[in-house]
């Protein structure tokens, strides 16, 4: 029987290898749309088998919602209904085995995860498009920011559009998440666009050998199954404590490879390519619509315009490994999914719940990943860690000399990585009893250190004169001087 890792590898290799077809052979949007959908459906059928029915049910539900709700009086509920449908079906999808229905394979689960993001994100795009159209009088439009935003952000979809977007082969199992507008722009991407795919492709490929060697090396000597044995509990405390370090190395190098491959499949096909001058951002796409408009006009006149693939940038290994703060590390990890969570959950939390939006975002992320308790134990550990880190920064870093700040950053980096090691064990062990068993074997060290830092930082701040605290906040709000920008 073929392992799941072998299926993932084959799926990604085929996806990367198919990319040039959509730049060199298929020149029109019509061909790109249907061939990319056929390829996606064929690969899903080959890897998921009859479990593909779950994906089809999800898409049909979205077609119904997006065909009816946006045209009703309560158009603001479009995204909310799509969210309830997709996450509700995600719960059904993961519990069908309770009712005697065969449990979907891990590969089908991965496809269901990213389909959920696409469908909910699409609903938000549709809702935002309708609100932009209805908030202004078209007769009063002048060529300004709002007109350009409507031109380059608004979408209008029909059921066939939803289906082709849902099953486009790019990112079906590993991401990246990309908006419908990004998909639509890819279909219409002109043949003369100066994408320069080779350079970013090779830059990413060069990272793979070292990551793969690290993954294979640590996987040979360490495995998560050993943690659940009685023999493991008999090992010395320091062994049990440090065992989570190689486990997190295995965990993240495996994902690094998948996410790099997800970027490569986008690059070879040209998806997510936008003019550099349009200031593309991860997940979002272009943000300077005036420059985007000018670049596209230049291309129509036969002039070259440089492109990049920042829109589908899915992993910042430097940020994951070396960023000193937990928040920076999280933002560098699975970046397009982080964009989805930030854009459609974190920023859309109702005003009366904004104090809890980090916890709400982490809860949604945990549920998206699965129903195993280990996900929730890990994700809901993030908000208190962020609180402790923020308090320590205010108490020991803000307003201090560069030397003190550097020393603090290195110490913060060390504890950030240990925090990720600690939370990773919940991701790998999954079961409530197994996760608690391991954490208790190291005396809940991650939680104890977090509480210690929270208490220490709060105590130090409580003894600091109010005027000093105000001065620190004032210094933080000062604009960056030219010399600072140069040094960075």
């Amino acid at each position: 029987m073929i392992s799941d890792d072998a299926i993932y590898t084959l799926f990604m290799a085929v996806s990367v290898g198919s990319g040039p077809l959509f730049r060199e052979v298929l020149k029109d949007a019509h061909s790109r749309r249907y061939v990319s959908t056929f390829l996606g459906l064929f690969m899903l059928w080959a890897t998921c088998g009859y479990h593909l029915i779950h994906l089809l049910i999800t898409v049909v539900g979205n077609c119904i919602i997006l065909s009816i709700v946006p045209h009703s009086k309560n158009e603001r509920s479009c995204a909310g209904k799509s969210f309830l449908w997709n996450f509700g079906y995600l719960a059904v999808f993961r519990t069908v085995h309770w009712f005697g229905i065969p449990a979907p394979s891990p590969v089908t689960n991965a496809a269901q995860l990213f389909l959920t993001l696409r469908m909910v994100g699409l609903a938000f795009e549709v809702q935002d498009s309708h609100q932009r159209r209805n908030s202004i009088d078209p007769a009063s439009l002048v060529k300004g920011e709002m007109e350009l935003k409507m031109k380059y952000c608004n979408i209008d979809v029909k059921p066939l559009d939803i289906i082709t977007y849902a099953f486009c082969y790019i990112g079906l199992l590993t991401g990246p998440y990309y908006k419908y507008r990004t998909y639509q722009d890819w279909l219409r991407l002109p043949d003369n666009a100066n994408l320069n795919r080779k350079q970013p492709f090779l830059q990413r490929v060069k990272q793979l050998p070292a990551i793969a060697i690290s993954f294979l090396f640590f996987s040979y000597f360490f495995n998560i199954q050993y943690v659940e044995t009685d023999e493991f509990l008999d090992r010395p405390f320091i062994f049990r404590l440090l065992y989570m370090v190689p486990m997190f190395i295995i965990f993240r190098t495996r994902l690094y490879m998948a996410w790099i491959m997800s970027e490569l499949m986008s690059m070879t096909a040209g998806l997510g390519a936008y003019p550099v001058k349009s200031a593309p951002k991860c997940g979002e796409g272009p943000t300077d619509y005036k420059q985007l408009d000018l670049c596209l006009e230049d291309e129509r006149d036969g002039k070259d315009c440089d492109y990049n693939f920042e829109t589908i940038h899915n992993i910042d290994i430097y940020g994951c490994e070396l960023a000193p703060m937990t928040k920076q590390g999280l933002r560098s990890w699975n970046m397009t999914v982080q964009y989805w969570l930030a854009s459609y959950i974190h920023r859309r939390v109702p005003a009366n719940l904004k104090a809890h939006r980090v916890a709400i975002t982490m809860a949604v992320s945990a549920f998206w990943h699965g129903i195993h308790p280990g996900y929730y134990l890990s994700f809901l550990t993030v908000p208190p860690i962020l609180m402790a880190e923020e308090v320590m920064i205010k108490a020991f870093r803000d307003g201090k000399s560069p030397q003190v700040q550097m020393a603090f950053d290195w110490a913060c980096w060390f504890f950030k990585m240990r925090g990720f090691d600690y939370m990773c064990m919940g991701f790998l062990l999954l079961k409530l009893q197994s996760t608690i068993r391991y954490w208790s074997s190291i005396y809940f060290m991650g939680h104890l250190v977090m509480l210690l830092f929270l208490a220490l930082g709060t105590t130090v701040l409580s003894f600091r004169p109010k005027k000093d605290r105000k001065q620190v906040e004032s210094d933080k709000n000062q604009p960056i001087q030219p010399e600072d920008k140069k040094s960075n």
Side-chain angles (χ1 to χ4, degrees):
M1 186 175 179
I2 302 176
S3 68
D4 291 329
D5 282 346
I7 293 174
Y8 275 108
T9 303
L10 180 61
F11 199 109
M12 289 186 290
V14 171
S15 297
V16 173
S18 301
L21 172 69
F22 295 89
R23 289 299 300 160
E24 315 301 337
V25 180
L26 304 174
K27 301 293 187 179
D28 62 286
H30 183 83
S31 299
R32 289 174 182 170
R33 178 190 299 272
Y34 293 112
V35 174
S36 63
T37 303
F38 173 79
L39 183 59
L41 282 169
F42 175 77
M43 290 195 293
L44 285 174
W45 172 78
T47 54
C48 302
Y50 63 86
H51 294 301
L52 178 60
I53 189 65
H54 293 290
L55 307 178
L56 296 174
I57 291 172
T58 301
V59 173
V60 169
N62 279 277
C63 288
I64 295 171
I65 291 170
L66 295 182
S67 297
I68 298 173
V69 179
H71 306 290
S72 65
K73 292 182 179 179
N74 191 18
E75 64 178 34
R76 289 178 177 270
S77 67
C78 171
K81 285 183 169 59
S82 178
F83 181 90
L84 290 175
W85 163 251
N86 284 279
F87 277 81
Y89 192 78
L90 202 55
V92 173
F93 172 84
R94 287 169 173 154
T95 56
V96 291
H97 60 284
W98 294 358
F99 308 100
I101 300 173
S105 65
V107 175
T108 311
N109 180 65
Q112 187 73 35
L113 288 179
F114 284 98
L115 181 64
T116 298
L117 297 188
R118 288 193 196 186
M119 294 296 96
V120 175
L122 174 61
F124 274 107
E125 287 185 78
V126 169
Q127 178 175 290
D128 291 345
S129 296
H130 278 269
Q131 289 178 3
R132 275 192 291 268
R133 292 189 190 103
N134 296 335
S135 63
I136 55 176
D137 179 8
S140 65
L141 276 177
V142 295
K143 190 162 185 177
E145 183 67 21
M146 179 54 72
E147 183 189 15
L148 290 172
K149 195 165 186 179
M150 290 181 67
K151 180 179 179 180
Y152 292 113
C153 293
N154 278 17
I155 63 171
D156 187 15
V157 295
K158 298 176 181 178
L160 186 59
D161 300 318
I162 298 170
I163 293 168
T164 55
Y165 169 60
F167 294 113
C168 176
Y169 79 98
I170 301 174
L172 280 177
L173 298 186
T174 58
Y177 165 76
Y178 49 90
K179 300 192 300 183
Y180 178 83
R181 183 68 205 211
T182 301
Y183 165 75
Q184 188 178 65
D185 291 341
W186 169 63
L187 296 177
R188 301 170 179 173
L189 190 65
D191 297 333
N192 65 334
N194 183 28
L195 301 189
N196 187 23
R197 292 174 294 164
K198 184 177 179 180
Q199 183 178 355
F201 182 89
L202 292 177
Q203 286 177 345
R204 273 315 202 190
V205 168
K206 287 190 296 186
Q207 297 175 320
L208 283 173
I211 296 170
I213 291 170
S214 298
F215 171 75
L216 293 172
F217 176 82
F218 285 99
S219 297
Y220 183 81
F221 292 103
F222 303 93
N223 64 81
I224 194 63
Q225 290 76 22
Y226 183 58
V227 177
E228 300 193 73
T229 64
D230 293 333
E231 181 185 349
F232 179 82
L233 295 180
D234 294 333
R235 302 301 291 266
F237 167 75
I238 193 66
F239 178 89
R240 301 195 302 270
L241 179 65
L242 294 180
Y243 200 86
M244 62 184 182
V245 176
M247 291 314 306
F248 184 46
I249 292 174
I250 295 169
F251 178 74
R252 68 183 188 270
T253 50
R254 184 173 183 267
L255 291 174
Y256 286 171
M257 289 188 288
W259 291 334
I260 288 174
M261 291 295 287
S262 75
E263 291 186 26
L264 295 181
M265 70 176 73
S266 303
M267 290 176 185
T268 58
L271 186 141
Y274 285 103
V276 174
K277 290 183 178 180
S278 67
K281 291 185 178 179
C282 174
E284 175 68 24
T287 57
D288 190 331
Y289 305 109
K290 184 176 181 180
Q291 286 297 326
L292 176 64
D293 200 51
L294 292 173
C295 286
L296 295 181
E297 286 183 8
D298 287 344
E299 280 187 339
R300 285 190 286 270
D301 295 336
K303 300 177 183 177
D304 279 343
C305 184
D306 291 332
Y307 282 69
N308 68 22
F309 288 91
E310 186 60 30
T311 301
I312 49 87
H313 188 190
N314 209 23
I315 178 67
D316 178 1
I317 296 177
Y318 176 86
C320 289
E321 298 291 335
L322 295 176
M325 311 301 176
T326 300
K327 186 178 291 186
Q328 295 169 331
L330 290 172
R331 287 175 177 171
S332 303
W333 176 272
N334 205 1
M335 294 165 63
T336 57
V337 173
Q338 297 294 335
Y339 164 80
W340 187 94
L341 288 167
S343 297
Y344 303 131
I345 305 299
H346 190 268
R347 294 172 191 163
R348 312 239 182 186
V349 170
N352 60 325
L353 295 174
K354 281 197 173 180
H356 309 290
R357 61 184 179 180
V358 173
I360 292 171
T361 304
M362 290 298 106
V364 170
S365 182
F367 184 80
W368 178 73
H369 279 84
I371 59 174
H372 296 289
Y375 292 132
Y376 299 88
L377 291 172
S378 296
F379 274 112
L380 296 180
T381 303
V382 172
I385 285 180
L386 293 176
M387 290 172 56
E389 189 175 81
E390 184 178 355
V391 168
M392 289 292 288
I393 290 171
K394 290 179 179 178
F396 295 101
R397 189 184 191 281
D398 290 347
K400 300 298 190 294
S401 67
Q403 293 80 8
V404 172
Q405 290 184 350
M406 181 179 293
F408 179 93
D409 287 348
W410 278 109
C412 191
W413 167 82
F414 175 82
F415 286 107
K416 177 207 79 171
M417 296 305 293
R418 304 295 73 79
F420 285 154
D421 294 338
Y422 186 77
M423 290 184 289
C424 170
M425 297 304 287
F427 259 76
L428 295 173
L429 292 167
L430 296 178
K431 298 176 183 176
L432 176 64
Q433 183 178 358
S434 300
T435 305
I436 297 298
R437 183 174 182 264
Y438 173 74
W439 281 354
S440 64
S441 76
I442 59 171
Y443 307 108
F444 293 94
M445 187 63 69
H447 289 87
L448 289 176
V449 171
M450 172 187 66
L451 292 173
L452 174 64
F453 285 157
L454 188 59
L456 178 61
T458 302
T459 302
V460 170
L461 286 176
S462 68
F463 285 103
R464 182 174 294 176
K466 290 185 178 180
K467 62 179 182 179
D468 289 350
R469 277 181 268 174
K470 290 180 179 179
Q471 181 61 44
V472 168
E473 293 298 324
S474 175
D475 292 342
K476 286 174 66 179
N477 293 327
Q478 290 297 318
I480 299 175
Q481 299 300 320
E483 58 268 25
D484 292 335
K485 291 182 180 179
K486 187 177 180 180
S487 66
N488 290 334

